[in-house]
Amino acid sequence: MAATQNPQNNGKQVQPADLAVRKSDPNQLSNGKSAPLEKAPGADLSKLKTHNGFPVLTMAAFQALYSCQSHPGEVQTFDFRGYVEDETGKLMYMDVLATNGLRGGIHVGIDGTTSYDDISSK
Amino acid sequence: MRSPNDVGEYVVYITVPPEVQKKECVYCACDDCQAVPSSGEENDYPSEDDIENYQSEKGYIVSRLCTCPEDVEDARKVISILNVAITQYIERGKPLDKLRDFIYGAESHILSRTEYAHPDTLLEESPATFWDRFMRGF
């Protein structure tokens, strides 16, 4: 992916880590470091639409990745900072870490919240 | 349009399926998880019917965090570390009825350490035992 200058990210170049799915490695969990990053399934970062240097996903793709689990019993984390486009073309900024497949189907989502409306609409 | 600069706080949403609640003898109500009381135990818990109703639906544990981008440098890194801690807590089979306490305790623990350590090196001192030691209290 060609790195894009991002005026809203302190001028840093956008990294593919803005959109990633990690398969958890038990050996990595103990020290808080990320397991190797993988591209999100179906997301070709070189062709991904961007806005202000952040990736843009459709709402359907975002929802699928938010709750994705490739195989039963496999723990995966979807790590995303970017925009989601709804059916009307409106862009919403999302900052999420979502882990699926824990202990029989527990889901953990940590969402960056931009207003109290976001909390009440959950 | 909202932008990265508009992220004011982070909230943890944990979803617990009905079958997990029944298996672990817990129930979720009011955005938290509670242990099912032993039979005959005198308490103010809901009735058995109420508990069965709670366990029949997807349960939620919700925690609003103190880590705000405005106040905490590199808040996203702190959140990433907390996500690892929560994941590890659940995967180790720790009690779900203490998970919310663990989240707030772990967040405080991480934030207190960031006062003298950059998040990138936060766990370098004792990576293998950092969470082991912290989880002993749960």
Side-chain angles (χ1 to χ4, degrees), chain A residues 20-79:
Chain A
V21 174
R22 289 194 286 268
K23 287 180 186 174
S24 293
D25 176 347
N27 295 320
Q28 296 285 346
L29 283 176
S30 62
N31 63 12
K33 290 182 179 176
S34 298
L37 291 171
E38 297 183 4
K39 286 190 295 187
D44 182 345
L45 295 180
S46 66
K47 295 177 183 171
L48 199 67
K49 201 169 144 186
T50 61
H51 178 76
N52 288 337
F54 285 95
V56 178
L57 290 178
T58 63
M59 183 60 81
F62 175 81
Q63 288 174 341
L65 288 165
Y66 190 82
S67 56
C68 76
Q69 186 185 0
S70 299
H71 305 288
E74 185 173 85
V75 177
Q76 284 193 339
T77 296
F78 170 49
D79 188 342

Side-chain angles (χ1 to χ4, degrees), chain B residues 70-84:
Chain B
E70 193 177 326
D71 302 329
V72 180
E73 189 183 353
D74 214 350
R76 195 45 158 68
K77 183 69 182 177
V78 172
I79 294 302
S80 295
I81 294 170
L82 184 61
N83 182 64
V84 170

